Amino acid sequence: MRAQVASTELADRATSDPESNPKIREYLRIALRWRYMILGAVVTCLLLGIIVTLLMTPQYTAIATIEIARESNQVTNFQGVERDTSIADQEFYQTQYGLLQSRSLSERVAVQLRLVDDPNFFEMFGTNVDKPAFERTNGRYSAQGRGERTRVAGEILRDHLRISPTRLSRLVDIRFASPDANFSARVANSWADNFIQTNLERKVQATSYGRNLLQRQLAQAKERLDESQRQLVGYASAQRIINLPAQSNGQGATSERSIVADDLAALNGVLAQATADRIQAEAHYRQRGRSGASSEALRNQAINQMRQRRAELAADYQRLLAQFEPGYPPARALQSQIAQIDQSISREEGRVSESLQAEYQQALQREAELKNRVEKLKSDYLDLRNRSIQYNIYAQEVDTNRALYDSLLQRFKEIGVAGGVGVNNIAVVDLADVPQRPSSPRLALNIALSLIAGLVIGALLALALEQMNESIDDPAEVERRLGLPLLGTVPKVEDIEPRDALLDRKSEVVEAYLAVQTGLAFATEHGVPRSLAITSTRPAEGKSTTALALATMLARAHRKVILIDGDMRSPSVHHLGGVSHDRGLSNFLSGDDNIESLIFAMNDFGFTAMSAGPLPPNAAELLTGNRLSILIERLLEAYDHVVIDSPPVMGLADAPLIASRVEGVIYTVESHGIRSSMVKMALGRLHAANARVFGGVLTKFEAKKSHSGYEYGYGYGHDDTARAKGN
């Protein structure tokens, strides 16, 4: 028995420890407590889902697929006009999705399909036709309300349209749902076609705008070019600057060359050649000193022939000298011829030398003249450069204006060609087919959603009710909510009086109060408190039964116990003893010191009791003095324990007065009934009276309402089947 009680206490303390009570277990406890409400919410949502599904009009969804290619339109071919494609991709496609759901496109589709004047269309979607725009004459709508009907038709189409881009691709699904399958396919296909048409129209408008803009810019560029050319020509005429046109330099600008520069370059080349010729002539002239030494003399044909003839004559002369004397007539004749030839050679060499000198003088004079001419041209060129500074400024302006004009003209031609071609970046991939079966409602999906919604609603309601519920349904809540140590939990008994349950030593009530007694054994240093009071927040919470039970448990533990009925406003202990309350506590508090005449024996329970006595006019006044303390001191001389059945705390001053006179208080809390806020207020009153509260006892506990796993009994109080199963 002791082991069972100790294990129960350990279980209670473990349950009351917040750290040992995880959130999941807490949520499961809440779900089990409110399971019927959660189940009701689930069943209600399920039935509503089925009913709504069966009552819903079947919807047919047609899907048309289009491809939207990324493009980059530039009005002018200048770098930086359009951002990089990779940066603008997301912005571009989001813009296209917005255009697909635009009001103008929906109204265009409505007009093209002639839905604006179709009564069946508005009836199909349940449109309110009470407005003036929907009034019909001879079965037709009036023309005055066409604009309003167009707006309403566009809204209807947009409400039933859904744009679904395919992830990581350029494909976009156009989905339209309606009760008519053929109508859904018509709208989806018309939506795709009209989107392509509007895209082409925007391109044409953009091209036309760009052409007009470039045309204006071309006219302005032409005026600037003409003005700059007039300035250039006028300045050149005024400054007598004559430049010859040259070939293009490859960068769009035309460079010019002046006549002075050309003359200077040409004359400088001639001067260089003249200087070379003079140097060559001077070299030849310097070599003329020795006869026959010059290269011109050596190359002279006449001199070479005469030298050859002289050599022949000299050879003949030497043959004659070998036989004859120099005076020999033929020898002298040969010698005379040789002398004549030598004179002729000398004359020819003289003429060659004179020609070299003439050539040198001529080259020297030509070089000097060319130098003078070059210096004159240099002066003219430097003067021209000074006068060409402003000319070059005008020329650069002409080149710039001409390049800008040519660029704009080229772009103007390209835009004209592109506008005529009409390339579109949007194409239909798949046309919408007529759906063969409805896309909604889907019974299985709606049932699943109803179940989820029911669970969510039930869980939210359970959490809300749990937050609003202040009743204490779990033993762990005594410590968590009230801050009281849990001494024990007393089950609610059916079909038996508490008095009879206490007399049955095998009952669950006896087991529970034995646990309370065991908990009290650790309340003070000397074990079970010698004087204690049992109170509650309000009447009928089980405080009198708890007082009776504790007195009984202590008496069965061979202790001398006296039970005092301290509730002088609503006494109850005398009923258990079968006596009247003519004499009792109120008599002693009024001055009667004969304690023996105020007590009576409770033979069935084994202890002594004192009734409340006659009902006083004001019980609080009797408890204010020190008579109660004197009574307790005198009773403790003869008894081991004094147990006082105290009145409820709320609304009365009796309980705090009694609590301040005893060693401590045991507080009874009715489970599944009393609000925790009221209990906290009552405990506050006790703490204000400096009363010591040992702990709380949870009474009338029903484990089936708690779902905390808290059970009673190990072998007592159960039938044979339960005992067999437990063993």
Side-chain angles (χ1 to χ4, degrees):
M1 180 66 69
R2 292 281 184 181
Q4 176 194 352
V5 173
S7 63
T8 304
E9 283 296 315
L10 289 174
D12 289 343
R13 296 191 179 187
T15 306
S16 63
D17 186 5
E19 296 297 331
S20 63
N21 193 16
K23 288 293 183 182
I24 296 179
R25 290 182 58 188
E26 182 69 16
Y27 293 146
L28 289 176
R29 182 187 63 79
I30 295 174
L32 289 174
R33 176 183 297 181
W34 303 99
R35 64 184 184 278
Y36 294 113
M37 188 201 62
I38 296 175
L39 182 61
V42 171
V43 172
T44 301
C45 290
L46 181 61
L47 293 177
L48 287 176
I50 295 174
I51 293 172
V52 171
T53 301
L54 296 178
L55 294 178
M56 287 176 63
T57 302
Q59 299 288 320
Y60 295 86
T61 301
I63 304 173
T65 303
I66 62 175
E67 179 188 7
I68 303 177
R70 181 71 174 92
E71 63 176 358
S72 179
N73 293 328
Q74 292 182 343
V75 176
T76 55
N77 194 21
F78 295 143
Q79 184 177 3
V81 172
E82 183 76 13
R83 288 185 297 174
D84 189 76
T85 301
S86 60
I87 300 175
D89 268 348
Q90 184 177 3
E91 178 183 350
F92 169 77
Y93 284 107
Q94 291 298 326
T95 302
Q96 298 301 312
Y97 304 152
L99 292 174
L100 276 168
Q101 303 175 76
S102 63
R103 177 181 56 84
S104 59
L105 181 59
S106 63
E107 294 179 356
R108 177 171 179 156
V109 173
V111 172
Q112 185 191 49
L113 296 179
R114 299 180 179 179
L115 304 178
V116 179
D117 299 322
D118 188 1
N120 296 327
F121 168 73
F122 295 104
E123 292 176 1
M124 181 191 304
F125 293 98
T127 306
N128 183 13
V129 295
D130 295 335
K131 299 179 180 180
F134 294 93
E135 293 181 356
R136 285 187 287 180
T137 303
N138 297 327
R140 295 183 178 181
Y141 290 123
S142 62
Q144 289 78 5
R146 184 175 178 84
E148 176 66 16
R149 293 195 302 275
T150 303
R151 183 187 63 80
V152 174
E155 291 179 356
I156 294 174
L157 294 180
R158 291 197 304 275
D159 291 341
H160 293 78
L161 179 80
R162 186 159 60 91
I163 303 301
S164 303
T166 303
R167 190 171 179 270
L168 300 179
S169 74
R170 297 179 295 184
L171 301 179
V172 180
D173 291 338
I174 301 175
R175 301 171 180 265
F176 187 82
S178 72
D180 189 344
N182 293 317
F183 179 76
S184 297
R186 285 175 55 205
V187 172
N189 291 329
S190 177
W191 206 284
D193 293 339
N194 280 275
F195 180 65
I196 293 175
Q197 291 299 324
T198 55
N199 184 64
L200 288 174
E201 291 174 2
R202 284 194 301 272
K203 285 179 175 291
V204 171
Q205 292 175 359
T207 303
S208 176
Y209 174 79
R211 185 185 294 113
N212 295 334
L213 175 63
L214 286 175
Q215 194 169 7
R216 291 193 299 269
Q217 292 180 348
L218 275 173
Q220 296 174 1
K222 182 69 168 57
E223 291 179 1
R224 289 195 297 269
L225 178 60
D226 293 343
E227 179 64 24
S228 61
Q229 286 179 339
R230 282 193 293 269
Q231 289 179 350
L232 179 65
V233 173
Y235 183 81
S237 299
Q239 298 295 327
R240 301 186 61 81
I241 298 175
I242 302 175
N243 291 332
L244 298 177
Q247 295 180 351
S248 176
N249 59 6
Q251 297 180 353
T254 302
S255 62
E256 295 181 347
R257 53 190 180 88
S258 64
I259 295 178
V260 176
D262 283 355
D263 291 345
L264 179 61
L267 197 59
N268 194 50
V270 174
L271 175 61
Q273 183 62 39
T275 302
D277 293 343
R278 190 265 305 168
I279 294 173
Q280 184 177 8
E282 185 179 3
H284 292 165
Y285 176 70
R286 300 299 182 191
Q287 294 176 358
R288 76 187 188 283
R290 293 177 298 170
S291 178
S294 64
S295 59
E296 283 76 6
L298 294 177
R299 290 194 300 269
N300 191 287
Q301 185 175 5
I303 294 175
N304 290 333
Q305 289 178 355
M306 287 186 293
R307 286 177 177 174
Q308 184 177 3
R309 178 62 181 163
R310 184 184 181 285
E312 292 175 355
L313 293 175
D316 293 340
Y317 180 72
Q318 291 297 329
R319 284 195 300 268
L320 289 176
L321 290 179
Q323 296 179 1
F324 302 101
E325 292 292 330
Y328 184 64
R332 285 186 297 183
L334 288 174
Q335 187 176 12
S336 177
Q337 291 179 0
I338 291 171
Q340 291 178 357
I341 289 174
D342 289 338
Q343 292 177 358
S344 298
I345 290 172
S346 297
R347 286 194 298 272
E348 289 296 327
E349 287 180 350
R351 285 196 298 272
V352 169
S353 177
E354 291 176 356
S355 66
L356 289 176
Q357 183 179 5
E359 289 180 0
Y360 169 67
Q361 293 296 331
Q362 183 180 2
L364 185 63
Q365 183 179 1
R366 183 168 178 269
E367 180 184 14
E369 292 178 354
L370 287 174
K371 283 183 179 180
N372 293 332
R373 180 60 180 165
V374 167
E375 292 298 328
K376 178 66 170 57
L377 287 177
K378 284 182 180 180
S379 300
D380 294 342
Y381 181 71
L382 292 176
D383 180 64
L384 177 64
R385 289 190 63 182
N386 292 330
R387 290 183 288 112
S388 297
I389 294 176
Q390 185 63 36
Y391 178 84
N392 292 333
I393 294 175
Y394 288 145
Q396 290 176 358
E397 185 176 357
V398 169
D399 292 339
T400 302
N401 291 334
R402 180 178 291 111
L404 180 60
Y405 177 78
D406 292 341
S407 177
L408 290 174
L409 182 61
Q410 179 64 27
R411 190 58 181 163
F412 181 77
K413 295 177 181 179
E414 292 175 358
I415 287 181
V417 174
V421 174
V423 178
N424 189 22
N425 64 314
I426 301 173
V428 176
V429 178
D430 290 323
L431 290 174
D433 294 330
V434 178
Q436 302 301 317
R437 58 177 181 272
S439 58
S440 67
R442 289 188 285 179
L443 183 60
L445 177 61
N446 290 349
I447 289 177
L449 293 176
S450 299
L451 290 174
I452 294 174
L455 287 173
V456 172
I457 293 174
L460 293 177
L461 288 175
L463 291 174
L465 292 175
E466 182 69 18
Q467 293 296 324
M468 293 186 293
N469 181 29
E470 294 188 10
S471 64
I472 299 176
D473 301 327
D474 196 313
E477 294 178 353
V478 174
E479 183 171 354
R480 187 172 64 250
R481 291 191 178 186
L482 306 179
L484 288 179
L486 181 64
L487 297 176
T489 305
V490 181
K492 184 178 181 180
V493 293
E494 303 287 347
D495 301 330
I496 186 174
E497 292 294 329
R499 182 179 185 278
D500 298 332
L502 290 174
L503 292 176
D504 183 7
R505 298 197 177 193
K506 297 181 181 180
S507 67
E508 294 178 348
V509 175
V510 173
E511 292 285 341
Y513 281 113
L514 280 174
V516 175
Q517 178 190 352
T518 303
L520 283 175
F522 302 98
T524 64
E525 295 179 355
H526 53 271
V528 179
R530 298 197 63 194
S531 62
L532 54 92
I534 292 86
T535 187
S536 63
T537 305
R538 64 185 182 183
E541 288 195 64
K543 64 176 181 59
S544 297
T545 302
T546 301
L548 176 63
L550 286 177
T552 303
M553 297 303 108
L554 291 173
R556 290 176 182 174
H558 308 291
R559 305 288 183 89
K560 290 188 67 176
V561 182
I562 182 170
L563 174 62
I564 300 176
D565 190 352
D567 192 353
M568 292 179 287
R569 302 174 188 269
S570 178
S572 60
V573 174
H574 64 282
H575 293 296
L576 299 175
V579 298
S580 66
H581 60 89
D582 293 338
R583 293 185 60 79
L585 177 61
S586 61
N587 297 103
F588 186 85
L589 296 179
S590 300
D592 189 352
D593 292 330
N594 188 5
I595 297 177
E596 295 297 332
S597 63
L598 304 178
I599 63 177
F600 61 93
M602 300 281 287
N603 296 323
D604 292 341
F605 298 98
F607 59 82
T608 304
M610 177 184 292
S611 69
L615 300 181
N618 192 337
E621 291 182 359
L622 294 178
L623 294 171
T624 304
N626 62 350
R627 292 290 293 176
L628 181 59
S629 300
I630 295 173
L631 175 62
I632 294 174
E633 291 177 1
R634 291 181 59 182
L635 290 177
L636 288 177
E637 294 176 358
Y639 297 93
D640 296 325
H641 302 282
V642 176
V643 179
I644 301 177
D645 180 10
S646 175
V649 177
M650 294 304 293
L652 302 175
D654 302 4
L657 293 173
I658 295 175
S660 63
R661 303 295 191 272
V662 296
E663 219 176 321
V665 177
I666 296 176
Y667 203 93
T668 58
V669 181
E670 180 184 1
S671 63
H672 320 298
I674 188 69
R675 291 185 299 165
S676 59
S677 59
M678 293 182 61
V679 179
K680 290 180 180 178
M681 291 176 60
L683 290 173
R685 293 191 62 189
L686 292 179
H687 291 309
N690 295 324
R692 179 183 180 186
V693 181
F694 292 126
V697 176
L698 190 64
T699 61
K700 302 180 183 181
F701 178 74
E702 297 181 65
K704 62 182 180 180
K705 293 184 179 180
S706 172
H707 310 292
S708 61
Y710 196 97
E711 295 183 357
Y712 286 95
Y714 177 74
Y716 301 113
H718 292 73
D719 55 19
D720 295 338
T721 304
R723 285 198 300 270
K725 186 180 293 186
N727 292 333

